[in-house]
Amino acid sequence: MQRALVLAAAAGAAGEIPVGAVVTDAVGTPLGEGRNLRESIADPTAHAEIVALRAGAASVGSWNLEGCTLTVTLEPCLMCAGAILQARIGRVVFGAWDDKAGAAGSVYDVLRDRRLPVRAEVVGGVREAEARALLRAFFDARR
């Protein structure tokens, strides 16, 4: 989570919503990382999770990231939750809950939906105060 928080801070400094994400393998070795890049590259899909999943897949040479963990500073949205399941990520650890668009237990619970053929373990609220502080400072500065 520490690296994800550093990436989130970098995103905020660049004018992006401060979210950072890291993909690690089963023993915790980093495979890919990302931060929000939507504004920077004018790509609506460039959420931190998607950027990290792409980097992780490129690192292992496969879309299949089974056995990997995605650590992210904010609860994934619906789009990211779908990508996480498509990549077969087995575990998602996140910081702040997103009570407006979260898809890992707050608004929706896509990652653990038993109707779907794959699911992920979810651990939320890890270093939540730090993740939430980055988001709060970012949005307070824009209001």
Side-chain angles (χ1 to χ4, degrees):
M1 183 61 79
Q2 179 59 38
R3 180 63 183 154
L5 287 164
V6 168
L7 291 163
E16 301 279 355
I17 295 174
V19 179
V22 179
V23 174
T24 54
D25 67 13
V27 295
T29 303
L31 300 175
E33 61 182 37
R35 63 178 180 84
N36 273 354
L37 295 173
R38 283 189 331 170
E39 302 298 331
S40 303
I41 65 172
D43 180 351
T45 69
H47 289 198
E49 299 95 323
I50 303 295
V51 175
L53 289 171
R54 288 176 177 156
S59 174
V60 300
S62 173
W63 62 268
N64 191 329
L65 298 173
E66 188 173 351
C68 292
T69 296
L70 175 74
T71 301
V72 60
T73 57
L74 180 64
E75 179 183 2
C77 70
L78 279 168
M79 175 185 70
C80 293
I84 289 163
L85 293 178
Q86 288 298 314
R88 304 298 193 263
I89 292 284
R91 184 171 188 243
V92 176
V93 177
F94 67 86
W97 293 89
D98 185 349
D99 59 359
K100 294 180 183 173
S106 61
V107 179
Y108 305 101
D109 200 0
V110 173
L111 295 177
R112 295 178 289 200
D113 191 326
R114 294 216 172 272
R115 295 170 294 182
L116 298 174
V118 293
R119 286 172 290 288
E121 175 188 356
V122 175
V123 179
V126 175
R127 297 181 70 175
E128 181 175 11
E130 293 165 85
R132 188 161 304 289
L134 286 170
L135 291 160
R136 185 172 292 118
F138 177 83
F139 287 111
D140 285 351
R142 278 147 183 79
R143 291 187 180 131

